[in-house]
Amino acid sequence: MRNGLNVSGVSEMVHEIREIPEEAVARFAVESPAGAQAPGTVTSRTLTARNGTVRVARDFRLGHRTTLPADDTASPLPTPYESALAAVAACVLVTSVNGYTARGVTLGAMSVTARADLALDAAGRPVPGRPLDDLAWRCDVDCEADPDTARSINRLVTAFSPNHRVVLDEAPPDTAVLLGPGGRATPLGLPAPAAPPPPAPARSTTVEATVTWEYGSEGRYVSTVGDAGAHARSGPWGVDQAKQMLGIDWAPNSQEILLAALCAELTALLPDGAVRLRAAGLLDTRGMLNVTREAPSRFHGLTLEATAPELSAADLSRALAGSVLLATLTMPRAVDVELWLAGRQVAAERSVTADAEAVRDELTRRARQQAGQDDVQEGRS
């Protein structure tokens, strides 16, 4: 046990997921609205998850405000954009904790701050369909690791943190459907992948979320939206993992937070009470551990299901086209990454998909080379 994580069984898990691939897949889902909604808010709830072939009870509520705060206040709820960045930061943090733990490094403290610019129209509302701009995150670590070790771990995080990869890569939902009578599914139009972003807006506001590590996979996050002179702060909120994924089942995980943010934003783009949304996605441990090179390391397999008796597929497709978060997932991008060790900056890079995939390719090459050497050694003995 180190840093609150027991990673002694990883080798056995790797063997199992090679032999039984379905045990590698964890599926998460969120729906909204969940129960009565206060004006200007959307509440989502996590649904039963699956970790391999095991059902995992999940029952957390996540609330969001649907408009941007107007002044320097303590907001009772975050916006969907704050939660999306918190989901990125929390996933980077957990991946980093696992990385240091695997290297035998005891952590003193860690936090991750993710930030982005949200484009605004003349009325101060988010520009429909424009992705978040200038995505960046910074990891602050206090431990005894040397700078080279810390840089090596951070480089692996940019390749294997599932939520970092989902905003880095071109990762639109696999499907989006409107469910009609009898379960009939009508496909919904999705934003076009790789569409060029519009020119920089005249106005924008900064969105930021900071997740602070507590123990194991547990953390707390606070978020802000606004400029330096006037911003609203929300939190702290908890983030954790299910017990089956080395957590204590204390709070939603970072993938559920991301799904809830997406549900909340889309719900707010439609008339009150007009739609019920279900968003789902999956993690594949084979990709996260590079056991199977073809398996993605990002959070993927995203699906959206809408039940809206009073709305048409065209109405819902227009809402999807106006989503800032869907646009952010749909377009590949660069993410600026900083690493600070004991209060000193030791790394700064621009993370892009090609570099992240190159890291995975190099690890795969080394693993195959090592496997070949092991086979030769076994033959000699």
Side-chain angles (χ1 to χ4, degrees):
M1 180 73 73
R2 188 185 299 273
N3 301 321
L5 295 177
N6 182 5
V7 295
S8 62
V10 170
S11 60
E12 289 82 358
M13 180 179 65
V14 168
H15 176 74
E16 180 183 19
I17 62 179
R18 280 184 172 141
E19 295 294 320
I20 313 173
E22 55 266 30
E23 293 295 344
V25 178
R27 304 176 187 274
F28 305 100
V30 168
E31 72 172 11
S32 69
Q37 313 292 299
T41 70
V42 175
T43 301
S44 308
R45 73 180 184 99
T46 58
L47 302 175
T48 299
R50 280 192 175 273
N51 185 32
T53 55
V54 177
R55 290 168 59 89
V56 181
R58 305 288 285 167
D59 189 18
F60 299 103
R61 299 297 196 272
L62 298 96
H64 289 92
R65 60 180 300 150
T66 58
T67 57
L68 297 178
D71 53 17
D72 191 359
T73 60
S75 174
L77 294 174
T79 63
Y81 316 109
E82 294 167 79
S83 288
L85 291 182
V88 173
C91 189
V92 167
L93 182 137
V94 171
T95 308
S96 299
V97 171
N98 277 277
Y100 283 94
T101 303
R103 296 284 185 94
V105 177
T106 299
L107 295 169
M110 180 183 291
S111 66
V112 177
T113 298
R115 67 166 302 280
D117 290 334
L118 174 66
L120 303 178
D121 62 17
R125 295 181 298 250
V127 175
R130 182 183 177 90
L132 294 169
D133 292 314
D134 299 328
L135 266 77
W137 54 260
R138 164 177 164 164
C139 182
D140 286 84
V141 187
D142 184 7
C143 67
E144 297 299 321
D146 61 81
D148 285 342
T149 297
R151 281 190 286 263
S152 172
I153 293 169
N154 207 61
R155 188 112 173 109
L156 292 173
V157 171
T158 63
F160 292 103
S161 171
N163 287 3
H164 170 73
R165 290 300 303 267
V166 81
V167 297
L168 188 75
D169 303 345
E170 182 181 301
D174 285 2
T175 60
V177 298
L178 171 63
L179 297 179
R184 180 174 54 86
T186 302
L188 300 174
L190 289 167
R203 294 183 62 192
S204 66
T205 190
T206 299
V207 184
E208 187 173 284
T210 297
V211 184
T212 302
W213 177 64
E214 294 195 341
Y215 187 73
S217 63
E218 303 159 54
R220 291 183 187 271
Y221 64 92
V222 296
S223 60
T224 61
V225 58
D227 301 320
H231 62 270
R233 178 182 181 277
S234 175
W237 310 102
V239 59
D240 189 23
Q241 298 282 350
K243 293 178 181 178
Q244 293 82 352
M245 302 184 75
L246 304 181
I248 62 171
D249 206 20
W250 165 65
N253 68 23
S254 59
Q255 286 72 44
E256 292 165 330
I257 293 170
L258 180 60
L259 293 174
L262 183 58
C263 276
E265 186 199 27
L266 291 172
T267 301
L269 290 173
L270 293 162
D272 288 347
V275 66
R276 178 169 294 278
L277 288 171
R278 181 184 186 277
L282 60 89
L283 297 174
D284 192 327
T285 308
R286 295 171 302 170
M288 294 160 59
L289 296 178
N290 218 45
V291 172
T292 302
R293 181 61 185 86
E294 296 74 20
S297 58
R298 69 174 178 269
F299 187 45
H300 63 289
L302 299 179
T303 61
L304 295 169
E305 295 179 355
T307 304
E310 306 300 322
L311 298 178
S312 68
D315 294 329
L316 288 160
S317 294
R318 282 192 291 271
L320 297 181
S323 167
V324 170
L325 296 182
L326 270 184
T328 302
L329 298 179
T330 297
M331 291 184 57
R333 65 191 55 255
V335 177
D336 290 325
V337 172
E338 293 183 11
L339 173 64
W340 291 65
L341 179 63
R344 182 169 68 92
Q345 184 175 352
V346 297
E349 65 176 297
R350 174 155 281 200
S351 177
V352 296
T353 295
D355 290 344
E357 289 297 281
V359 170
R360 295 196 63 191
D361 287 339
E362 175 61 17
L363 291 175
T364 301
R365 184 191 65 78
R366 291 181 190 175
R368 289 172 178 168
Q369 184 179 46
Q370 182 63 49
Q373 291 173 352
D374 291 344
D375 289 343
V376 170
Q377 185 65 32
E378 184 176 343
R380 288 176 178 171
S381 61

